[in-house]
Amino acid sequence: MSLMPFLLFAFVASITPGPTNILILTNSQHYGVRATVPALVSACAAASAIVLISGAGAGELLQKYPLIRQLMSWAGVLWLSWMSWQLFCAPAAHLSRETHTRFTAPAAALLQVINPKTWMMALAVVSLFAPAGEHALRDIALMALWFLLISVACLACWAWLGQAVNRLFRTSAAMVRFQRLMALSLFMSAWAGMLA
């Protein structure tokens, strides 16, 4: 396996906007970077575990039984659509730290399990970069570890961006507009994977 192309792929897959990135940004905006770390680490660990599981054979199962993959995709899209609606409808009074629903570590891990983007990324990693040979599982485990480190760094950037949002949007009206923009982005990123 050539490490540099894999690292570049992991970076692009982790830094580009997606449901997890948007929810990390929103959570950090409301609760700060430190309070977002558990969700951030949980999401990255779950995504890395999916890379490992896909490389160990689950990827072949999903390719063999497309109905399972389709059901997981629809479950993820419906859940993300509901979450985006909740973000969009939140009135200004509910955008404070006291009343906003947190993006928790278990929710972040579950999101990875039902997020079609995560599974498609893991399948791409395995099909493009997974080595064949007598130490294939060890090499896939190393890939999962590299992916974990890169994704933590990338999601940390999204968390810091969420903290910066508070300095940019100082009024309740501006925060509501930003919140609605994030809700629409979440909705579009969820459906883009299904329609692609």
Side-chain angles (χ1 to χ4, degrees):
M1 169 186 79
S2 180
L3 187 60
M4 207 55 187
F6 167 71
L7 295 177
L8 181 61
F9 179 90
F11 173 77
V12 171
S14 300
I15 199 74
T16 53
T20 306
N21 307 66
I22 293 165
L23 290 168
I24 290 292
L25 181 142
T26 304
N27 200 66
S28 176
Q29 173 195 359
H30 291 282
Y31 301 105
V33 174
R34 182 175 292 167
T36 304
V37 168
L40 186 152
V41 171
S42 178
C44 295
S48 297
I50 290 170
V51 169
L52 182 61
I53 290 166
S54 294
E60 293 175 19
L61 180 70
L62 288 175
Q63 289 176 338
K64 187 175 181 180
Y65 297 104
L67 181 60
I68 295 172
R69 185 177 64 218
Q70 197 69 17
L71 288 173
M72 287 176 59
S73 295
W74 278 107
V77 166
L78 292 175
W79 186 47
L80 291 169
S81 297
W82 177 82
M83 290 179 78
S84 64
W85 180 250
Q86 296 298 310
L87 285 171
F88 189 86
C89 292
H94 291 175
L95 293 178
S96 69
R97 291 175 190 244
E98 294 79 27
T99 58
H100 190 268
T101 303
R102 273 190 187 204
F103 185 46
T104 63
L110 179 62
L111 175 58
Q112 300 314 304
V113 172
I114 64 171
N115 185 356
K117 179 187 174 192
T118 305
W119 284 96
M120 293 305 111
M121 175 277 307
L123 292 173
V125 163
V126 170
S127 63
L128 292 173
F129 302 108
E134 65 181 77
H135 301 294
L137 192 56
R138 181 200 66 194
D139 292 341
I140 290 169
L142 284 171
M143 290 171 61
L145 178 62
W146 274 110
F147 187 84
L148 173 66
L149 298 173
I150 289 171
S151 62
V152 165
C154 291
L155 280 184
C157 292
W158 280 88
W160 286 316
L161 181 61
Q163 192 67 43
V165 164
N166 290 331
R167 289 185 220 112
L168 296 172
F169 303 104
R170 295 179 186 260
T171 67
S172 291
M175 289 297 269
V176 168
R177 283 193 296 273
F178 177 76
Q179 189 76 11
R180 290 184 174 167
L181 177 64
M182 290 298 98
L184 290 172
S185 298
L186 178 61
F187 183 80
M188 289 187 308
S189 70
W191 282 93
M194 286 300 289
L195 301 176

